[in-house]
């Protein structure tokens, strides 16, 4: 069963089997700050500076990673794993007229694809997530779900900044 990410008023939810797994809530009108619970850990995302080119990922108020935007339109997520090693993931946009996104690990192996679809009902973008055909154990799948939420957070911030610049 595929994953879906549905936009709501000031939040979005990761959904699998018609059950919301993670709900990211934005602070007021800002797409640069958000909070959610991943399991029992409270996750907060905040910009490091006013330019918002790099965001901090905090779990229970401990900095565990970053969301970084580069000039190519890529989103890089650096996050600590359970062994306190920094892991890096890259999201690249594909297509021009029909945009979708591909997420790679540090070995350039494709993990999943994000397919956006604009919803007039919520006036926002919903996503369908297509996971590559690998066998993941429960721990790896839980981490992929968390990574999906971070990637969509970055995509929404990029789209908000592009809309503000236009």
């Amino acid at each position: 069963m595929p994953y879906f990410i549905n936009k709501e008023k000031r939040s979005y939810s990761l959904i699998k089997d018609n059950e919301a797994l993670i709900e990211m809530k934005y602070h007021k009108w800002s797409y640069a700050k958000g909070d959610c619970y991943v399991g029992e850990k409270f996750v907060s995302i905040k910009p490091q500076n006013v330019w918002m080119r790099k965001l901090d990922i905090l779990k229970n108020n401990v900095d565990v990673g970053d969301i970084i935007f580069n000039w190519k339109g890529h989103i890089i997520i650096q996050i600590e794993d359970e062994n306190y090693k920094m892991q890096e993931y890259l999201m690249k946009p594909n297509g021009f007229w029909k945009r979708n996104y591909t997420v790679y690990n540090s070995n350039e192996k494709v993990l999943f694809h994000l397919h956006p679809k604009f919803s007039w009902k919520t006036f926002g973008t919903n996503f369908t997530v297509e996971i590559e055909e690998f066998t993941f154990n429960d721990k790896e799948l839980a981490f992929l779900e968390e990574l999906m939420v971070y990637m969509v957070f970055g995509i929404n911030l990029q789209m908000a900044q592009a809309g503000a610049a236009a």
Side-chain angles (χ1 to χ4, degrees):
M1 189 89 188
Y3 289 91
F4 299 99
I5 297 175
N6 289 339
K7 170 102 171 63
E8 288 140 29
K9 197 167 193 170
R10 286 191 302 199
S11 66
Y12 62 89
S13 298
L14 176 66
I15 297 171
K16 181 180 181 184
D17 298 329
N18 293 326
E19 179 184 340
L21 303 175
I22 301 172
E23 181 182 11
M24 175 64 75
K25 293 185 179 187
Y26 291 107
H27 291 208
K28 298 190 181 176
W29 293 101
S30 174
Y31 277 101
K33 294 180 184 177
D35 300 321
C36 68
Y37 279 95
V38 177
E40 299 202 3
K41 294 188 178 187
F42 180 72
V43 176
S44 183
I45 300 176
K46 298 177 182 174
Q48 287 185 356
N49 57 29
V50 72
W51 304 110
M52 291 187 274
R53 301 308 301 161
K54 199 171 189 183
L55 307 169
D56 283 330
I57 300 172
L58 306 162
K59 283 187 182 176
N60 293 335
N61 293 323
V62 176
D63 190 357
V64 295
D66 297 313
I67 300 175
I68 304 165
F69 302 94
N70 70 10
W71 62 274
K72 294 179 183 178
H74 301 165
I75 298 173
I76 301 158
I77 296 198
Q78 297 173 335
I79 193 160
E80 287 180 0
D81 61 7
E82 63 274 355
N83 299 324
Y84 302 105
K85 283 181 57 179
M86 196 60 79
Q87 300 293 325
E88 190 169 289
Y89 301 91
L90 175 69
M91 190 274 314
K92 292 182 181 179
N94 303 320
F96 184 75
W97 297 110
K98 204 161 168 80
R99 184 160 297 246
N100 60 31
Y101 304 91
T102 305
V103 178
Y104 302 88
N105 65 6
S106 58
N107 299 330
E108 296 184 15
K109 187 176 187 181
V110 176
L111 297 176
F112 57 88
H113 303 278
L114 293 165
H115 302 283
K117 184 169 176 125
F118 186 78
S119 169
W120 286 101
K121 184 177 180 182
T122 59
F123 203 70
T125 305
N126 296 330
F127 293 87
T128 302
V129 182
E130 176 188 332
I131 296 180
E132 283 296 308
E133 295 298 320
F134 299 122
T135 54
F136 294 109
N137 62 29
D138 291 339
K139 196 180 227 183
E140 292 170 334
L141 202 55
F143 179 75
L144 273 183
E145 292 167 355
E146 183 178 346
L147 189 61
M148 291 174 201
V149 171
Y150 299 151
M151 288 296 180
V152 170
F153 189 92
I155 292 169
N156 285 339
L157 181 58
Q158 268 187 338
M159 287 194 284
Q161 288 176 333

